Amino acid sequence: MATTIIDGKEVASRVREGLKQEIAALTQAGHTPGLAVVLVGEDPASQVYVNSKVKACEELGIYSQKWALPAETSQEELVELIHRLNADPRIHGILVQSPPPPHIDEEAVILNIDPRKDVDGFHPVNVAKLVLEDATGFVPCTPLGCMELLKAYNIPTQGKHAVVIGRSMIVGKPMAHLLVSKQANATVTIAHSRTADLPALCRTADIIVAAVGRPEMVKADFVKPGAVVLDVGINRVEDATRPRGYRIVGDVDYAGVSEKCSAITPVPGGVGPMTIAMLMANTVKACRQLTQGA
């Protein structure tokens, strides 16, 4: 059985091409989508992520603001900025890069973002809309990207058993809600690192979504022949043979698992590119809803 390598770069490129047409139409109507990205501190990985989001905006014709605040920025100063962005008609999406410095209460920050501009989908209003299957809400970008990959490769979900490994509000829980929704109709089990006999549970799955944050945790003995595996993990592991001294791996042992499954996302190049593409899609959606009520 040949294994299908799910190409996130190619699917993300198609999503972006579709967005360009919608952005052009909105701009022609006088409503250029706008995204504000706020970074507190100088975490190198966060700076890379923020810059990639700003670059994506430039490529698509989305107006963007990058706010790089010093690490000592207070909670009050950050919230004040968010309130200004909430009121700015040029801005339709607001993203505060995670994680912030330890003195910042991230949950309180999220609560201050206008839910209509919460393109990360973390505000409780949008969490509720996800559970209620209200299409006006915003879904976190990574699980939304996973669903787009399944759709792009015509991978059926109806009646399938999906095991989601990971219970975060960023990936695991929203992923489970998307899979169990009336649009996907999967039967879903949420598992995690402390699940009893996790390999045996995963072997019952038609679809495995690995989002646990442990390098190559999902081994070949977790996977039944023909299963579909989506690897959300991005982990840096030491590797003296590499010029940088490390390599990037997922939560799945790709070499072993790819020999048993019917389809799999590589790391990098699988789920990762879809996350930014979905952020752009959420920003365009926010613009459309805020300006046209649709």
Side-chain angles (χ1 to χ4, degrees):
M1 177 183 64
T3 301
T4 298
I5 309 303
I6 299 174
D7 188 344
K9 290 182 180 179
E10 194 275 332
V11 177
S13 176
R14 274 191 274 156
V15 170
R16 292 190 191 201
E17 284 302 312
L19 288 175
K20 284 181 181 178
Q21 298 177 23
E22 189 170 0
I23 292 165
L26 284 166
T27 300
Q28 189 172 10
H31 307 296
T32 300
L35 175 67
V37 184
V38 181
L39 172 64
V40 183
E42 299 178 354
D43 178 74
S46 292
Q47 288 178 334
V48 170
Y49 292 143
V50 165
N51 289 338
S52 64
K53 291 164 185 174
V54 171
K55 182 180 178 182
C57 287
E58 293 174 353
E59 292 173 351
L60 291 176
I62 292 175
Y63 169 69
S64 68
Q65 292 182 5
K66 173 184 173 181
W67 294 84
L69 307 178
E72 60 270 17
T73 299
S74 69
Q75 180 90 13
E76 293 73 18
E77 289 170 327
L78 178 55
V79 168
E80 181 184 353
L81 171 60
I82 289 170
H83 288 170
R84 294 205 308 270
L85 295 172
N86 284 340
D88 190 338
R90 298 171 299 173
I91 297 299
H92 306 101
I94 301 170
L95 180 152
V96 179
Q97 184 63 42
S98 182
H103 69 279
I104 297 293
D105 182 344
E106 190 168 12
E107 290 186 10
V109 169
I110 291 169
L111 286 172
N112 278 279
I113 297 174
D114 184 338
R116 299 173 301 169
K117 296 187 176 187
D118 169 39
V119 288
D120 257 341
F122 298 156
H123 192 284
V125 167
N126 286 315
V127 174
K129 286 187 174 185
L130 170 60
V131 176
L132 294 169
E133 300 187 35
D134 182 338
T136 65
F138 295 99
V139 177
C141 302
T142 298
L144 189 59
C146 287
M147 295 304 291
E148 285 294 320
L149 290 175
L150 292 173
K151 188 188 305 180
Y153 278 80
N154 296 312
I155 295 170
T157 56
Q158 181 161 320
K160 302 298 183 180
H161 179 209
V163 172
V164 179
I165 313 173
R167 49 187 167 176
S168 75
M169 292 302 297
I170 298 173
V171 180
K173 289 178 181 176
M175 187 78 233
H177 282 297
L178 288 171
L179 285 165
V180 81
S181 72
K182 292 176 183 177
Q183 288 189 325
N185 289 311
T187 298
V188 181
T189 302
I190 301 178
H192 44 81
S193 59
R194 296 184 182 180
T195 296
D197 202 354
L198 182 58
L201 174 63
C202 289
R203 283 194 295 272
T204 69
D206 303 299
I207 299 169
I208 296 174
V209 182
V212 71
R214 294 193 177 185
E216 300 179 324
M217 173 180 164
V218 176
K219 304 295 185 183
D221 67 340
F222 283 54
V223 182
K224 74 176 182 180
V228 174
V229 180
L230 301 182
D231 189 354
V232 179
I234 300 178
N235 308 286
R236 180 184 294 191
V237 297
E238 293 184 7
D239 187 341
T241 67
R242 300 294 177 93
R244 294 183 178 181
Y246 66 87
R247 57 191 170 91
I248 300 298
V249 301
D251 291 350
V252 175
D253 177 12
Y254 184 86
V257 171
S258 61
E259 295 183 358
K260 292 184 69 176
C261 62
S262 61
I264 189 170
T265 57
V267 176
V271 174
M274 293 301 297
T275 299
I276 293 180
M278 293 300 100
L279 174 63
M280 300 298 109
N282 276 352
T283 301
V284 172
K285 175 182 174 180
C287 176
R288 186 175 66 249
Q289 292 186 163
L290 283 165
T291 61
Q292 300 179 354

